[in-house]
């Protein structure tokens, strides 16, 4: 990674067969480094698009951001990671998070930090061929339990998705990367770095050893006004959730309440119209290629390891991914820090 950081795109798993391969090829041809697939509730299982993209590419890293240990057992996560790593020739990463909206399918989420830590332990014991067994508070492996198929690598990189201090400390202890999903705010980078520090020190390493990934809704187009209008509609649907997670944003409570009310009533244009430009720029990348590149550069200068441009990318997926690769990425330079 000669530029000192990575550029990624994040895809929602709502497309037709063949769409993923085409988008991944566009991304790879334009120098994008990582293609992630979201693991959101009630969308296609990420392994389907990831395997399709693995067959269509040769360079980009691939992974889910993120799987959770409540809807999928650790041995199944290990199997899917092993399959993707084998299919891609060693380009897979594992993304884990506690998961969102699982109550809608009747899944409780007790002891999330313990569940995440033990899930990672079980996954990497299985991939590494450790048959000594594991007895945790949430998950166990009986001695002698082993995978019955070959693996590409014993430890593909681990990403943990988290905003809060305890989740970030866990990432500091265990992970190669931490992803702050739904943020384009450079002020969050030093916050997350400090939140990583206690866990990193516990593991005997520096907080700088953990790459910080920020990713958010992205809409880039030659028509910057149209791009920002579309981004406002996308952001309005989740602003009430992520705004409360950002201690630097200082979003007025009455504004959040009004956006939530309008969104709940299905008045999405009205909700979008409430979001001012400065607030939009904290939670989305949007506008012309010049505008989006300027936003990404601020994150790079703040010290991110990866900028992840999320769905819907542009006024259409293909146009957005092409513009990100052909126009946004060439404008970016290494951090000046």
């Amino acid at each position: 990674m000669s530029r000192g950081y990575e550029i990624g795109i994040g895809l929602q798993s709502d497309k037709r067969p063949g769409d993923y391969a085409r988008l991944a090829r566009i991304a790879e041809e334009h120098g994008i480094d990582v293609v992630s697939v979201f693991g959101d509730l009630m969308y296609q299982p990420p392994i389907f698009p990831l395997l399709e993209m693995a067959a269509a590419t040769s360079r980009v890293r691939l992974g889910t951001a993120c799987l959770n240990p409540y809807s999928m057992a650790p041995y199944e996560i290990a199997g899917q990671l092993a399959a993707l790593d084998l299919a891609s020739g060693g380009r897979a990463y594992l993304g884990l998070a506690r998961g969102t909206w699982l109550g809608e399918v009747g899944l409780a989420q007790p002891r999330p930090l313990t569940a995440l830590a033990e899930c990672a332990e079980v996954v990497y014991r299985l991939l590494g061929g450790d048959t000594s067994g594991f007895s945790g508070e949430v998950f166990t492996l009986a001695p002698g339990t082993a995978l019955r198929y070959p693996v590409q690598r014993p430890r593909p990189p681990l990403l943990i998705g988290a905003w809060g201090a305890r989740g970030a400390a866990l990432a500091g202890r265990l992970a190669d990367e931490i992803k702050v999903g739904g943020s384009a705010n450079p002020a969050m980078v030093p916050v997350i770095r400090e939140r990583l520090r206690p866990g990193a020190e516990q593991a005997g390493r520096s907080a700088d050893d953990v790459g910080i990934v920020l990713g958010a809704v992205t809409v880039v187009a030659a028509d910057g006004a149209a791009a920002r209008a579309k981004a406002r509609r996308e952001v309005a649907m989740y602003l009430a959730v992520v705004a409360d997670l950002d201690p630097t944003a200082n979003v007025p409570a009455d504004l959040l309440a009004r956006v939530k009310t309008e969104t709940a009533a299905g008045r999405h244009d009205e909700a979008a119209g409430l979001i001012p430009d400065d607030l939009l720029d904290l939670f989305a990348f949007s506008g012309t290629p010049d505008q989006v590149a300027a936003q990404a550069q601020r994150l790079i200068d703040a010290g991110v390891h990866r900028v992840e441009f999320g769905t819907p990318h542009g006024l259409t997926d293909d146009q957005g991914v092409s513009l990100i690769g052909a126009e946004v990425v060439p404008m970016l330079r290494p951090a000046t820090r």
Side-chain angles (χ1 to χ4, degrees):
M1 190 178 61
S2 60
R3 62 168 84 97
Y5 57 86
E6 290 183 320
I7 298 297
I9 61 168
L11 300 178
Q12 189 57 274
S13 54
D14 58 353
K15 307 181 198 321
R16 302 289 299 174
D19 290 346
Y20 301 106
R22 185 181 68 256
L23 290 168
R25 282 193 294 266
I26 292 171
E28 185 165 88
E29 288 166 2
H30 286 297
I32 287 168
D33 305 292
V34 184
V35 180
S36 303
V37 177
F38 305 139
D40 291 343
L41 186 70
M42 306 312 294
Y43 286 89
Q44 294 167 347
I47 192 65
F48 158 49
L50 287 166
L51 289 175
E52 181 176 297
M53 293 190 293
T57 58
S58 61
R59 180 186 54 79
V60 292
R61 295 201 297 124
L62 298 164
T64 306
C66 289
L67 299 175
N68 74 81
Y70 299 105
S71 63
M72 187 180 295
Y75 81 91
E76 294 174 309
I77 291 174
Q80 292 200 11
L81 177 61
L84 178 61
D85 209 38
L86 192 63
S88 65
R91 293 182 283 131
Y93 77 84
L94 171 61
L96 292 177
R98 62 171 294 170
T100 307
W101 304 303
L102 296 182
E104 296 181 15
V105 290
L107 293 179
Q109 295 166 279
R111 309 187 68 180
L113 296 178
T114 301
L116 285 172
E118 292 187 3
C119 177
E121 180 75 19
V122 170
V123 166
Y124 289 120
R125 281 178 180 248
L126 288 170
L127 293 181
D130 183 341
T131 60
S132 63
F134 174 73
S135 180
E137 298 175 33
V138 180
F139 300 113
T140 62
L141 278 178
T145 305
L147 299 179
R148 300 182 182 182
Y149 49 83
V151 301
Q152 181 79 21
R153 293 180 295 172
R155 197 193 181 285
L158 173 64
L159 173 148
I160 288 179
W163 280 76
R166 295 175 64 206
L170 179 66
R173 181 162 63 90
L174 299 179
D176 301 281
E177 295 179 307
I178 181 171
K179 181 180 177 184
V180 183
S183 178
N185 182 6
M188 277 301 298
V189 178
V191 172
I192 293 297
R193 184 69 68 203
E194 286 307 306
R195 290 177 175 180
L196 288 167
R197 198 171 305 281
E201 291 176 350
Q202 183 182 353
R205 59 178 180 161
S206 167
D208 293 334
D209 293 337
V210 184
I212 296 176
V213 181
L214 261 65
V217 161
T218 303
V219 188
V220 58
D223 184 342
R228 290 178 70 79
K230 184 170 182 176
R232 274 189 172 84
R233 282 180 61 94
E234 296 283 338
V235 168
M237 292 186 284
Y238 69 83
L239 182 63
V241 176
V242 295
D244 287 338
L245 300 175
D246 187 332
T248 75
N250 299 314
V251 183
D254 61 333
L255 173 60
L256 284 180
R258 291 165 62 201
V259 170
K260 188 173 182 179
T261 297
E262 296 294 342
T263 301
R267 295 188 290 267
H268 300 294
D269 288 337
E270 290 81 353
L274 295 170
I275 300 173
D277 283 343
D278 57 348
L279 187 59
L280 177 64
D281 288 342
L282 297 181
F283 299 105
F285 303 99
S286 65
T288 64
D290 283 350
Q291 289 174 299
V292 170
Q295 285 187 268
Q297 188 66 54
R298 287 192 286 272
L299 294 182
I300 292 164
D301 290 338
V304 296
H305 169 67
R306 172 156 45 102
V307 179
E308 185 167 276
F309 296 114
T311 296
H313 305 115
L315 301 182
T316 69
D317 267 319
D318 291 56
Q319 290 175 358
V321 173
S322 295
L323 280 174
I324 290 166
E327 297 194 28
V328 174
V329 172
M331 290 188 232
L332 302 176
R333 61 185 186 280
T336 56
R337 63 188 184 283

